Amino acid sequence: MNPMILIVDDDAAVRSSLSFLLKRAGFEVEAVPSPGEALSFVRATAPQLILMDMNFTLTTTGEEGIHLLKQVKIFRPEVPVILITAWGSISLAVQGMQAGAFDFITKPWNNLVLLNSIRTALALKEQKGSQNSPLNRSEANDKFHFEHIIGQSAPLMKILGTVSRIASTNASVLITGESGTGKELIAEAIHANSAKADGPFVKVNLGGLSQSLFESEMFGHKKGAFTDAYTDRVGRFEMADKGTIFLDEIGDLELSCQVKLLRVLQDQTFEVLGDSRPRKVDVRVVSATNADLHQMVNDKTFREDLYYRINLITIHLPALRERKEDIPLLARYFAGQQCRANGLSEVKFAADALVFLQQLPYPGNVRELKNLVERTILVSGKSLLEASDFEMQYHGSSPAKAMKSSLSGMTLDAMEKQTILQAIKDNDGNMSHVATALGISRAALYRRLNKYDIPADNQ
């Protein structure tokens, strides 16, 4: 039996248009013009999904829609509700999301975006209603593309279980966690296990994009659109068509760029600079950040409507110190990679070496462990690595130990500046290595260099 969708809108033309679209897409449809009729319907029948307008009289406050939504959620809490609103009333839609709505669509709607949202809501509802047994590593390897994700700890397997359930949908995903926890690997796994796996996977570091370059980088430009635009440029969204776009460090995006991003995420259309013809794309959006976006919303540094648009599903990655049982597996994996890449003989780990590695705090998480293992292999030249080998390399590159006696009485900013300077010295000015040693991204490192007036070529 086809899913049944209830349309609630006082505009007969809207009801007719939506009904035609949904029936052609294979859904059963019921349409009512008023909140009273909608409540009578949901009391007697449970639709699989509700499409709901937010205004039913001449007023445009949206209070009627919010009130109806709350009443519907009392009778049918499990039924997803998608709100339909005008672009200028997105703040009302945000209130609706806070009240329990699944998504919001702006008028005039994009048919593809609307149908994708409906199918995603129904797919997630079906999965939520089924009993899912915990995923084990053997099952994960047999059924899914998780070959680049190493570990079998309970926190990691819980994450892979979530990925296995939501990858096949078109839901937007927000991946959170400290720097170096593997957010990009999870994004790649979502893409590899999705219906868009044969399409492109396009990565964008939003933290490294200035306001002046944002539109050209994301949407592209035509030759002559601005000074120095000597050739046409294809934007990242167009590159990602029929695939997945990975928006890394989205918390670093400037406010002026956030509204431009929201528009393309809302209706999957954009305009190339120098070309007024709108272009449509079909992309899955996966975002990542190590920032607290909820707090940024409270601080008015991140748009609330964009926040709700990107985090339909949230996956939080634990720090490496929270899954210590995976450290031996990761260490051996990184050692194998390093030996193959440099034509070295197989390297093994003494028992005390693995114990030592599991005791470290890893502020830089998996990235820091990888760096430590690779450095120790190259410097020691040994085929059996012991705790003393790792201890020598760990402390040898630790800014904290080298400066411990000199930090007394310093301000927090002064400590941070001194730590960065020491890390630059320890890593011979290689900014990629400096960022890894400090456990932060390159974009975050460059912001701190600018803050403390430290030249990027400081040696």
Side-chain angles (χ1 to χ4, degrees), residues 381-431:
K382 296 169 63 176
S383 59
L384 179 63
L385 299 178
E386 300 175 296
S388 57
D389 300 311
F390 287 103
E391 187 171 7
M392 184 179 301
Q393 295 306 314
Y394 179 73
H395 290 309
S397 65
S398 172
K401 184 179 181 183
M403 299 186 302
K404 185 175 181 180
S405 61
S406 64
L407 295 181
S408 179
M410 296 176 67
T411 65
L412 186 60
D413 280 351
M415 289 182 186
E416 184 175 54
K417 180 178 180 179
Q418 189 60 38
T419 301
I420 294 172
L421 289 170
Q422 184 65 44
I424 292 173
K425 181 179 178 181
D426 290 341
N427 292 275
D428 298 323
N430 186 313
M431 291 303 167

Side-chain angles (χ1 to χ4, degrees), residues 260-277:
K260 298 172 184 176
L261 178 61
L262 176 63
R263 279 190 175 274
V264 68
L265 297 188
Q266 170 62 33
D267 35 17
Q268 304 243 319
T269 61
F270 64 93
E271 291 182 4
V272 174
L273 287 175
D275 183 0
S276 60
R277 177 175 58 89

Side-chain angles (χ1 to χ4, degrees), residues 114-408:
L114 176 58
L115 290 174
N116 278 341
S117 181
I118 289 171
R119 289 171 179 140
T120 298
L122 293 174
L124 292 176
K125 176 176 178 284
E126 182 179 352
Q127 291 173 0
K128 187 176 180 180
S130 63
Q131 294 297 320
N132 294 291
S133 57
L135 191 71
N136 59 55
R137 189 71 229 199
S138 177
E139 183 183 7
N141 293 339
D142 291 342
K143 295 183 178 180
F144 304 100
H145 295 289
F146 292 145
E147 54 270 15
H148 298 301
I149 300 175
I150 309 304
Q152 55 189 22
S153 62
L156 180 63
M157 296 315 300
K158 183 177 180 180
I159 290 168
L160 296 188
T162 299
V163 172
S164 69
R165 291 189 294 274
I166 61 93
S168 61
T169 73
N170 206 44
S172 60
V173 182
L174 174 64
I175 307 171
T176 64
E178 296 178 9
S179 180
T181 49
K183 294 187 285 294
E184 184 175 323
L185 282 178
I186 296 299
E188 290 175 343
I190 292 171
H191 173 70
N193 292 282
S194 72
K196 299 182 184 296
D198 292 334
F201 178 80
V202 177
K203 298 177 283 188
V204 189
N205 184 341
L206 295 179
L209 277 185
S210 65
Q211 180 178 346
S212 59
L213 294 176
F214 177 79
E215 287 187 89
S216 175
E217 183 71 20
M218 301 302 290
F219 311 135
H221 65 248
K222 301 290 288 183
K223 179 180 177 181
F226 52 86
T227 304
D228 297 331
Y230 299 119
T231 60
D232 290 353
R233 178 185 178 89
V234 178
R236 297 301 182 96
F237 271 98
E238 191 169 353
M239 290 180 189
D241 191 27
K242 302 296 189 294
T244 302
I245 189 166
F246 176 49
L247 305 176
D248 198 10
E249 297 193 34
I250 195 168
D252 294 340
L253 190 62
E254 297 180 24
L255 275 170
S256 58
C257 300
Q258 290 177 23
V259 66
K260 298 172 184 176
L261 178 61
L262 176 63
R263 279 190 175 274
V264 68
L265 297 188
Q266 170 62 33
D267 35 17
Q268 304 243 319
T269 61
F270 64 93
E271 291 182 4
V272 174
L273 287 175
D275 183 0
S276 60
R277 177 175 58 89
R279 302 191 184 188
K280 292 185 178 183
V281 288
D282 177 14
V283 297
R284 170 80 170 276
V285 179
V286 180
S287 308
T289 183
N290 57 14
D292 185 347
L293 292 189
H294 184 70
Q295 184 59 48
M296 291 180 67
V297 168
N298 292 336
D299 295 339
K300 308 298 183 185
T301 56
F302 197 86
R303 291 182 63 98
E304 189 172 22
D305 42 15
L306 179 58
Y307 176 67
Y308 281 111
R309 177 58 62 200
I310 63 174
N311 78 334
L312 189 57
I313 302 293
T314 300
I315 297 176
H316 179 73
L317 302 191
L320 184 57
R321 59 185 173 275
E322 297 171 11
R323 54 182 188 107
K324 291 185 176 181
E325 57 266 51
D326 289 336
I327 290 175
L329 294 172
L330 286 162
R332 292 190 180 101
Y333 176 75
F334 294 141
Q337 280 190 319
Q338 181 73 349
C339 291
R340 287 189 294 273
N342 291 281
L344 303 175
S345 301
E346 181 184 0
V347 169
K348 295 184 179 180
F349 295 79
D352 66 339
L354 295 176
V355 171
F356 175 78
L357 289 176
Q358 287 181 296
Q359 293 174 342
L360 299 180
Y362 296 110
N365 292 292
V366 179
R367 188 185 295 131
E368 182 183 348
L369 172 63
K370 181 176 186 289
N371 185 276
L372 175 59
V373 169
E374 292 178 347
R375 186 169 62 250
T376 303
I377 289 173
L378 295 175
V379 173
S380 71
K382 296 169 63 176
S383 59
L384 179 63
L385 299 178
E386 300 175 296
S388 57
D389 300 311
F390 287 103
E391 187 171 7
M392 184 179 301
Q393 295 306 314
Y394 179 73
H395 290 309
S397 65
S398 172
K401 184 179 181 183
M403 299 186 302
K404 185 175 181 180
S405 61
S406 64
L407 295 181
S408 179

Side-chain angles (χ1 to χ4, degrees), residues 100-114:
F102 174 82
D103 199 359
F104 63 91
I105 300 294
T106 55
K107 297 177 181 178
W109 61 83
N110 178 309
N111 287 345
L112 176 62
V113 173
L114 176 58

Side-chain angles (χ1 to χ4, degrees), residues 423-424 427-436 442 445 456 458-459:
I424 292 173
N427 292 275
D428 298 323
N430 186 313
M431 291 303 167
S432 293
H433 293 170
V434 172
T436 298
R442 281 177 61 92
L445 172 60
N458 191 305
Q459 297 288 325

